[in-house]
PDB file of all heavy atoms in Angstrom:
ATOM      1  N   GLU A 211       0.804  -1.227   0.000  1.00 98.00           N
ATOM      2  CA  GLU A 211       0.000   0.000   0.000  1.00 98.00           C
ATOM      3  C   GLU A 211       0.838   1.278   0.000  1.00 98.00           C
ATOM      4  O   GLU A 211       0.572   2.214  -0.759  1.00 98.00           O
ATOM      5  CB  GLU A 211      -0.935   0.019   1.210  1.00 98.00           C
ATOM      6  CG  GLU A 211      -1.799   1.270   1.295  1.00 98.00           C
ATOM      7  CD  GLU A 211      -2.667   1.330   2.532  1.00 98.00           C
ATOM      8  OE1 GLU A 211      -2.726   0.342   3.296  1.00 98.00           O
ATOM      9  OE2 GLU A 211      -3.295   2.396   2.751  1.00 98.00           O
ATOM     10  N   ILE A 212       1.863   1.336   0.832  1.00 98.00           N
ATOM     11  CA  ILE A 212       2.616   2.577   0.983  1.00 98.00           C
ATOM     12  C   ILE A 212       3.335   2.969  -0.312  1.00 98.00           C
ATOM     13  O   ILE A 212       3.394   4.151  -0.675  1.00 98.00           O
ATOM     14  CB  ILE A 212       3.609   2.470   2.164  1.00 98.00           C
ATOM     15  CG1 ILE A 212       4.106   3.860   2.577  1.00 98.00           C
ATOM     16  CG2 ILE A 212       4.768   1.514   1.847  1.00 98.00           C
ATOM     17  CD1 ILE A 212       4.805   3.873   3.927  1.00 98.00           C
ATOM     18  N   PHE A 213       3.847   1.985  -1.054  1.00 98.00           N
ATOM     19  CA  PHE A 213       4.539   2.286  -2.304  1.00 98.00           C
ATOM     20  C   PHE A 213       3.563   2.641  -3.418  1.00 98.00           C
ATOM     21  O   PHE A 213       3.835   3.523  -4.237  1.00 98.00           O
ATOM     22  CB  PHE A 213       5.427   1.120  -2.716  1.00 98.00           C
ATOM     23  CG  PHE A 213       6.594   0.893  -1.797  1.00 98.00           C
ATOM     24  CD1 PHE A 213       6.855  -0.366  -1.274  1.00 98.00           C
ATOM     25  CD2 PHE A 213       7.428   1.938  -1.434  1.00 98.00           C
ATOM     26  CE1 PHE A 213       7.925  -0.573  -0.413  1.00 98.00           C
ATOM     27  CE2 PHE A 213       8.501   1.748  -0.571  1.00 98.00           C
ATOM     28  CZ  PHE A 213       8.742   0.485  -0.062  1.00 98.00           C
ATOM     29  N   LEU A 214       2.435   1.981  -3.442  1.00 98.00           N
ATOM     30  CA  LEU A 214       1.412   2.305  -4.443  1.00 98.00           C
ATOM     31  C   LEU A 214       0.886   3.721  -4.228  1.00 98.00           C
ATOM     32  O   LEU A 214       0.661   4.469  -5.183  1.00 98.00           O
ATOM     33  CB  LEU A 214       0.270   1.293  -4.370  1.00 98.00           C
ATOM     34  CG  LEU A 214       0.635  -0.129  -4.794  1.00 98.00           C
ATOM     35  CD1 LEU A 214      -0.500  -1.096  -4.470  1.00 98.00           C
ATOM     36  CD2 LEU A 214       0.970  -0.180  -6.283  1.00 98.00           C
ATOM     37  N   LYS A 215       0.717   4.093  -2.973  1.00 98.00           N
ATOM     38  CA  LYS A 215       0.239   5.439  -2.659  1.00 98.00           C
ATOM     39  C   LYS A 215       1.282   6.485  -3.031  1.00 98.00           C
ATOM     40  O   LYS A 215       0.951   7.544  -3.577  1.00 98.00           O
ATOM     41  CB  LYS A 215      -0.099   5.537  -1.171  1.00 98.00           C
ATOM     42  CG  LYS A 215      -0.829   6.811  -0.771  1.00 98.00           C
ATOM     43  CD  LYS A 215      -1.319   6.737   0.671  1.00 98.00           C
ATOM     44  CE  LYS A 215      -2.085   8.010   1.047  1.00 98.00           C
ATOM     45  NZ  LYS A 215      -2.591   7.922   2.456  1.00 98.00           N
ATOM     46  N   ALA A 216       2.557   6.204  -2.758  1.00 98.00           N
ATOM     47  CA  ALA A 216       3.632   7.139  -3.095  1.00 98.00           C
ATOM     48  C   ALA A 216       3.727   7.352  -4.604  1.00 98.00           C
ATOM     49  O   ALA A 216       3.870   8.479  -5.080  1.00 98.00           O
ATOM     50  CB  ALA A 216       4.961   6.630  -2.543  1.00 98.00           C
ATOM     51  N   ALA A 217       3.646   6.260  -5.365  1.00 98.00           N
ATOM     52  CA  ALA A 217       3.697   6.368  -6.827  1.00 98.00           C
ATOM     53  C   ALA A 217       2.516   7.173  -7.353  1.00 98.00           C
ATOM     54  O   ALA A 217       2.659   7.983  -8.279  1.00 98.00           O
ATOM     55  CB  ALA A 217       3.709   4.972  -7.451  1.00 98.00           C
ATOM     56  N   SER A 218       1.357   6.965  -6.755  1.00 98.00           N
ATOM     57  CA  SER A 218       0.163   7.703  -7.160  1.00 98.00           C
ATOM     58  C   SER A 218       0.330   9.192  -6.920  1.00 98.00           C
ATOM     59  O   SER A 218      -0.042  10.023  -7.761  1.00 98.00           O
ATOM     60  CB  SER A 218      -1.057   7.177  -6.399  1.00 98.00           C
ATOM     61  OG  SER A 218      -2.212   7.917  -6.726  1.00 98.00           O
ATOM     62  N   LEU A 219       0.901   9.558  -5.772  1.00 98.00           N
ATOM     63  CA  LEU A 219       1.139  10.973  -5.465  1.00 98.00           C
ATOM     64  C   LEU A 219       2.107  11.610  -6.459  1.00 98.00           C
ATOM     65  O   LEU A 219       1.978  12.780  -6.814  1.00 98.00           O
ATOM     66  CB  LEU A 219       1.672  11.121  -4.036  1.00 98.00           C
ATOM     67  CG  LEU A 219       0.680  10.831  -2.908  1.00 98.00           C
ATOM     68  CD1 LEU A 219       1.395  10.866  -1.553  1.00 98.00           C
ATOM     69  CD2 LEU A 219      -0.462  11.851  -2.909  1.00 98.00           C
ATOM     70  N   LEU A 220       3.089  10.820  -6.902  1.00 98.00           N
ATOM     71  CA  LEU A 220       4.055  11.323  -7.888  1.00 98.00           C
ATOM     72  C   LEU A 220       3.475  11.340  -9.296  1.00 98.00           C
ATOM     73  O   LEU A 220       4.049  11.951 -10.197  1.00 98.00           O
ATOM     74  CB  LEU A 220       5.309  10.454  -7.881  1.00 98.00           C
ATOM     75  CG  LEU A 220       6.220  10.520  -6.661  1.00 98.00           C
ATOM     76  CD1 LEU A 220       7.361   9.524  -6.818  1.00 98.00           C
ATOM     77  CD2 LEU A 220       6.765  11.928  -6.446  1.00 98.00           C
ATOM     78  N   GLN A 221       2.372  10.614  -9.484  1.00 98.00           N
ATOM     79  CA  GLN A 221       1.748  10.436 -10.803  1.00 98.00           C
ATOM     80  C   GLN A 221       2.724   9.752 -11.770  1.00 98.00           C
ATOM     81  O   GLN A 221       2.849  10.126 -12.942  1.00 98.00           O
ATOM     82  CB  GLN A 221       1.263  11.779 -11.368  1.00 98.00           C
ATOM     83  CG  GLN A 221       0.175  12.423 -10.515  1.00 98.00           C
ATOM     84  CD  GLN A 221      -0.390  13.684 -11.126  1.00 98.00           C
ATOM     85  OE1 GLN A 221       0.350  14.515 -11.660  1.00 98.00           O
ATOM     86  NE2 GLN A 221      -1.699  13.842 -11.056  1.00 98.00           N
ATOM     87  N   VAL A 222       3.395   8.741 -11.242  1.00 98.00           N
ATOM     88  CA  VAL A 222       4.305   7.910 -12.028  1.00 98.00           C
ATOM     89  C   VAL A 222       3.835   6.459 -11.905  1.00 98.00           C
ATOM     90  O   VAL A 222       3.587   5.991 -10.790  1.00 98.00           O
ATOM     91  CB  VAL A 222       5.758   8.030 -11.520  1.00 98.00           C
ATOM     92  CG1 VAL A 222       6.684   7.079 -12.286  1.00 98.00           C
ATOM     93  CG2 VAL A 222       6.259   9.461 -11.646  1.00 98.00           C
ATOM     94  N   PRO A 223       3.686   5.728 -13.013  1.00 98.00           N
ATOM     95  CA  PRO A 223       3.291   4.316 -12.922  1.00 98.00           C
ATOM     96  C   PRO A 223       4.253   3.546 -12.021  1.00 98.00           C
ATOM     97  O   PRO A 223       5.477   3.753 -12.084  1.00 98.00           O
ATOM     98  CB  PRO A 223       3.368   3.826 -14.367  1.00 98.00           C
ATOM     99  CG  PRO A 223       3.194   5.070 -15.196  1.00 98.00           C
ATOM    100  CD  PRO A 223       3.863   6.163 -14.426  1.00 98.00           C
ATOM    101  N   ILE A 224       3.720   2.668 -11.187  1.00 98.00           N
ATOM    102  CA  ILE A 224       4.564   1.958 -10.228  1.00 98.00           C
ATOM    103  C   ILE A 224       5.665   1.153 -10.922  1.00 98.00           C
ATOM    104  O   ILE A 224       6.770   1.008 -10.386  1.00 98.00           O
ATOM    105  CB  ILE A 224       3.709   1.042  -9.320  1.00 98.00           C
ATOM    106  CG1 ILE A 224       4.539   0.491  -8.155  1.00 98.00           C
ATOM    107  CG2 ILE A 224       3.064  -0.072 -10.128  1.00 98.00           C
ATOM    108  CD1 ILE A 224       5.009   1.525  -7.166  1.00 98.00           C
ATOM    109  N   ALA A 225       5.405   0.661 -12.123  1.00 98.00           N
ATOM    110  CA  ALA A 225       6.414  -0.117 -12.850  1.00 98.00           C
ATOM    111  C   ALA A 225       7.606   0.732 -13.270  1.00 98.00           C
ATOM    112  O   ALA A 225       8.668   0.193 -13.602  1.00 98.00           O
ATOM    113  CB  ALA A 225       5.788  -0.773 -14.073  1.00 98.00           C
ATOM    114  N   GLU A 226       7.451   2.057 -13.253  1.00 98.00           N
ATOM    115  CA  GLU A 226       8.533   2.974 -13.609  1.00 98.00           C
ATOM    116  C   GLU A 226       9.169   3.601 -12.368  1.00 98.00           C
ATOM    117  O   GLU A 226       9.910   4.576 -12.466  1.00 98.00           O
ATOM    118  CB  GLU A 226       8.005   4.046 -14.558  1.00 98.00           C
ATOM    119  CG  GLU A 226       7.530   3.463 -15.887  1.00 98.00           C
ATOM    120  CD  GLU A 226       6.925   4.495 -16.825  1.00 98.00           C
ATOM    121  OE1 GLU A 226       6.784   5.675 -16.419  1.00 98.00           O
ATOM    122  OE2 GLU A 226       6.592   4.135 -17.965  1.00 98.00           O
ATOM    123  N   CYS A 227       8.862   3.023 -11.202  1.00 98.00           N
ATOM    124  CA  CYS A 227       9.455   3.478  -9.949  1.00 98.00           C
ATOM    125  C   CYS A 227      10.453   2.441  -9.437  1.00 98.00           C
ATOM    126  O   CYS A 227      10.204   1.242  -9.525  1.00 98.00           O
ATOM    127  CB  CYS A 227       8.375   3.673  -8.881  1.00 98.00           C
ATOM    128  SG  CYS A 227       7.163   4.958  -9.231  1.00 98.00           S
ATOM    129  N   MET A 228      11.565   2.917  -8.900  1.00 98.00           N
ATOM    130  CA  MET A 228      12.487   2.036  -8.206  1.00 98.00           C
ATOM    131  C   MET A 228      12.349   2.264  -6.713  1.00 98.00           C
ATOM    132  O   MET A 228      12.365   3.409  -6.246  1.00 98.00           O
ATOM    133  CB  MET A 228      13.940   2.302  -8.622  1.00 98.00           C
ATOM    134  CG  MET A 228      14.927   1.333  -7.970  1.00 98.00           C
ATOM    135  SD  MET A 228      16.652   1.592  -8.470  1.00 98.00           S
ATOM    136  CE  MET A 228      17.112   2.961  -7.393  1.00 98.00           C
ATOM    137  N   VAL A 229      12.185   1.183  -5.972  1.00 98.00           N
ATOM    138  CA  VAL A 229      12.114   1.253  -4.522  1.00 98.00           C
ATOM    139  C   VAL A 229      13.490   0.955  -3.946  1.00 98.00           C
ATOM    140  O   VAL A 229      14.102  -0.073  -4.281  1.00 98.00           O
ATOM    141  CB  VAL A 229      11.083   0.256  -3.970  1.00 98.00           C
ATOM    142  CG1 VAL A 229      11.226   0.124  -2.459  1.00 98.00           C
ATOM    143  CG2 VAL A 229       9.668   0.697  -4.333  1.00 98.00           C
ATOM    144  N   ALA A 230      13.996   1.843  -3.092  1.00 98.00           N
ATOM    145  CA  ALA A 230      15.268   1.633  -2.398  1.00 98.00           C
ATOM    146  C   ALA A 230      14.955   1.198  -0.973  1.00 98.00           C
ATOM    147  O   ALA A 230      14.385   1.961  -0.199  1.00 98.00           O
ATOM    148  CB  ALA A 230      16.103   2.909  -2.407  1.00 98.00           C
ATOM    149  N   GLU A 231      15.318  -0.029  -0.635  1.00 98.00           N
ATOM    150  CA  GLU A 231      14.947  -0.622   0.647  1.00 98.00           C
ATOM    151  C   GLU A 231      16.106  -1.393   1.266  1.00 98.00           C
ATOM    152  O   GLU A 231      17.007  -1.848   0.561  1.00 98.00           O
ATOM    153  CB  GLU A 231      13.768  -1.591   0.467  1.00 98.00           C
ATOM    154  CG  GLU A 231      12.406  -0.998   0.718  1.00 98.00           C
ATOM    155  CD  GLU A 231      12.118  -0.768   2.210  1.00 98.00           C
ATOM    156  OE1 GLU A 231      12.978  -1.107   3.054  1.00 98.00           O
ATOM    157  OE2 GLU A 231      11.035  -0.248   2.517  1.00 98.00           O
ATOM    158  N   ASP A 232      16.049  -1.538   2.597  1.00 97.00           N
ATOM    159  CA  ASP A 232      17.062  -2.333   3.293  1.00 97.00           C
ATOM    160  C   ASP A 232      16.456  -3.500   4.051  1.00 97.00           C
ATOM    161  O   ASP A 232      17.165  -4.424   4.441  1.00 97.00           O
ATOM    162  CB  ASP A 232      17.842  -1.460   4.277  1.00 97.00           C
ATOM    163  CG  ASP A 232      16.962  -0.946   5.410  1.00 97.00           C
ATOM    164  OD1 ASP A 232      15.989  -0.223   5.133  1.00 97.00           O
ATOM    165  OD2 ASP A 232      17.245  -1.263   6.577  1.00 97.00           O
ATOM    166  N   SER A 233      15.144  -3.477   4.284  1.00 95.00           N
ATOM    167  CA  SER A 233      14.511  -4.515   5.102  1.00 95.00           C
ATOM    168  C   SER A 233      13.801  -5.552   4.245  1.00 95.00           C
ATOM    169  O   SER A 233      13.372  -5.274   3.120  1.00 95.00           O
ATOM    170  CB  SER A 233      13.507  -3.895   6.075  1.00 95.00           C
ATOM    171  OG  SER A 233      12.344  -3.457   5.387  1.00 95.00           O
ATOM    172  N   ILE A 234      13.631  -6.742   4.801  1.00 96.00           N
ATOM    173  CA  ILE A 234      12.905  -7.801   4.102  1.00 96.00           C
ATOM    174  C   ILE A 234      11.442  -7.408   3.921  1.00 96.00           C
ATOM    175  O   ILE A 234      10.858  -7.619   2.851  1.00 96.00           O
ATOM    176  CB  ILE A 234      13.040  -9.132   4.869  1.00 96.00           C
ATOM    177  CG1 ILE A 234      14.503  -9.598   4.856  1.00 96.00           C
ATOM    178  CG2 ILE A 234      12.150 -10.205   4.252  1.00 96.00           C
ATOM    179  CD1 ILE A 234      14.782 -10.812   5.712  1.00 96.00           C
ATOM    180  N   ASN A 235      10.841  -6.819   4.956  1.00 95.00           N
ATOM    181  CA  ASN A 235       9.456  -6.367   4.841  1.00 95.00           C
ATOM    182  C   ASN A 235       9.296  -5.357   3.712  1.00 95.00           C
ATOM    183  O   ASN A 235       8.340  -5.407   2.935  1.00 95.00           O
ATOM    184  CB  ASN A 235       8.987  -5.750   6.161  1.00 95.00           C
ATOM    185  CG  ASN A 235       8.712  -6.796   7.227  1.00 95.00           C
ATOM    186  OD1 ASN A 235       8.159  -7.849   6.947  1.00 95.00           O
ATOM    187  ND2 ASN A 235       9.097  -6.497   8.457  1.00 95.00           N
ATOM    188  N   GLY A 236      10.240  -4.433   3.619  1.00 97.00           N
ATOM    189  CA  GLY A 236      10.180  -3.419   2.576  1.00 97.00           C
ATOM    190  C   GLY A 236      10.354  -3.995   1.188  1.00 97.00           C
ATOM    191  O   GLY A 236       9.683  -3.586   0.234  1.00 97.00           O
ATOM    192  N   LEU A 237      11.267  -4.948   1.059  1.00 98.00           N
ATOM    193  CA  LEU A 237      11.499  -5.579  -0.242  1.00 98.00           C
ATOM    194  C   LEU A 237      10.306  -6.416  -0.688  1.00 98.00           C
ATOM    195  O   LEU A 237       9.948  -6.433  -1.861  1.00 98.00           O
ATOM    196  CB  LEU A 237      12.767  -6.434  -0.181  1.00 98.00           C
ATOM    197  CG  LEU A 237      14.070  -5.646  -0.067  1.00 98.00           C
ATOM    198  CD1 LEU A 237      15.205  -6.548   0.379  1.00 98.00           C
ATOM    199  CD2 LEU A 237      14.411  -4.947  -1.373  1.00 98.00           C
ATOM    200  N   LYS A 238       9.661  -7.082   0.260  1.00 97.00           N
ATOM    201  CA  LYS A 238       8.443  -7.832  -0.072  1.00 97.00           C
ATOM    202  C   LYS A 238       7.347  -6.878  -0.555  1.00 97.00           C
ATOM    203  O   LYS A 238       6.618  -7.175  -1.503  1.00 97.00           O
ATOM    204  CB  LYS A 238       7.964  -8.614   1.147  1.00 97.00           C
ATOM    205  CG  LYS A 238       8.803  -9.835   1.478  1.00 97.00           C
ATOM    206  CD  LYS A 238       8.264 -10.549   2.705  1.00 97.00           C
ATOM    207  CE  LYS A 238       9.043 -11.819   3.012  1.00 97.00           C
ATOM    208  NZ  LYS A 238       8.546 -12.501   4.240  1.00 97.00           N
TER     209      LYS A 238
END
């Protein structure tokens, strides 16, 4: 949810976003 919401706010398709994460929960 949190990444989908962030991409929506940026108005960038989620497939064109890179997520930078360090945790297993975040990567999942």
Side-chain angles (χ1 to χ4, degrees):
E211 179 183 353
I212 196 166
F213 292 129
L214 293 171
K215 190 171 182 179
S218 177
L219 290 174
L220 290 177
Q221 297 185 318
V222 176
I224 190 66
E226 296 177 355
C227 296
M228 183 179 81
V229 168
E231 265 286 358
D232 65 299
S233 73
I234 295 173
N235 285 320
L237 290 164
K238 286 180 177 178

